[in-house]
């Protein structure tokens, strides 16, 4: 499985970005796709995840009310729409996939994309 994350960039406080995670290769119907982020000097943080079969979204506390995760079956792509961005959202965002049971735990995911930088200016 290969994951390609894209869509990061520089945005002002209050702005929006949409990240994409395109999956190729063998994928699993019971897989979950998650987004994590890591800021310099901080631990990797769970942002959001979605179960492919049920299309059920899950959000970390930092994402609730501002971010929306969704998927496109045809394109085999998961999106993370990020609204009302704050400087503390600045980080490298990674997408990952696997047959995760505990969606917020990074070790539950088997495959990771390369990351995309999101920078929110104040």
């Amino acid at each position: 499985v290969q994951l390609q994350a894209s869509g990061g960039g520089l945005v002002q406080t209050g702005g929006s970005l949409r990240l994409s995670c395109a999956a190729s290769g063998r994928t699993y119907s019971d897989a979950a796709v998650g987004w994590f982020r890591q800021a310099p000097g901080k631990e990797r943080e769970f942002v959001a995840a979605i179960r492919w079969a049920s299309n059920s979204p899950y959000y970390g506390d930092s994402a609730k009310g501002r971010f929306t995760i969704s998927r496109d079956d045809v394109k085999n792509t998961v999106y993370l729409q990020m609204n009302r961005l704050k400087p503390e959202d600045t980080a490298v965002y990674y997408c990952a996939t696997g047959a995760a049971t505990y969606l917020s735990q990074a070790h539950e995911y088997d495959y990771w994309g390369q990351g995309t930088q999101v920078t929110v200016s104040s």
Side-chain angles (χ1 to χ4, degrees), residues 8-26:
L10 174 63
V11 65
Q12 292 184 334
T13 296
S16 299
L17 283 173
R18 189 178 77 159
L19 305 184
S20 300
C21 177
S24 60
R26 183 178 181 182

Side-chain angles (χ1 to χ4, degrees), residues 81-96:
Q81 177 67 44
M82 305 187 297
N83 298 326
R84 304 201 308 276
L85 284 162
K86 307 174 183 179
E88 50 264 45
D89 294 318
T90 295
V92 177
Y93 284 69
Y94 299 91
C95 62

Side-chain angles (χ1 to χ4, degrees), residues 39-104:
K42 295 188 177 181
E43 294 186 353
R44 190 164 294 192
E45 176 189 12
F46 171 71
V47 177
I50 190 166
R51 292 197 183 278
W52 201 267
S54 66
N55 201 26
S56 300
Y58 300 87
Y59 297 97
D61 289 341
S62 63
K64 291 177 181 176
R66 298 188 299 130
F67 297 178
T68 303
I69 190 169
S70 62
R71 62 169 172 79
D72 184 322
D73 284 348
V74 175
K75 296 182 178 180
N76 223 23
T77 298
V78 171
Y79 302 99
L80 183 68
Q81 177 67 44
M82 305 187 297
N83 298 326
R84 304 201 308 276
L85 284 162
K86 307 174 183 179
E88 50 264 45
D89 294 318
T90 295
V92 177
Y93 284 69
Y94 299 91
C95 62
T97 190
T101 299
Y102 301 101
L103 297 178
S104 65

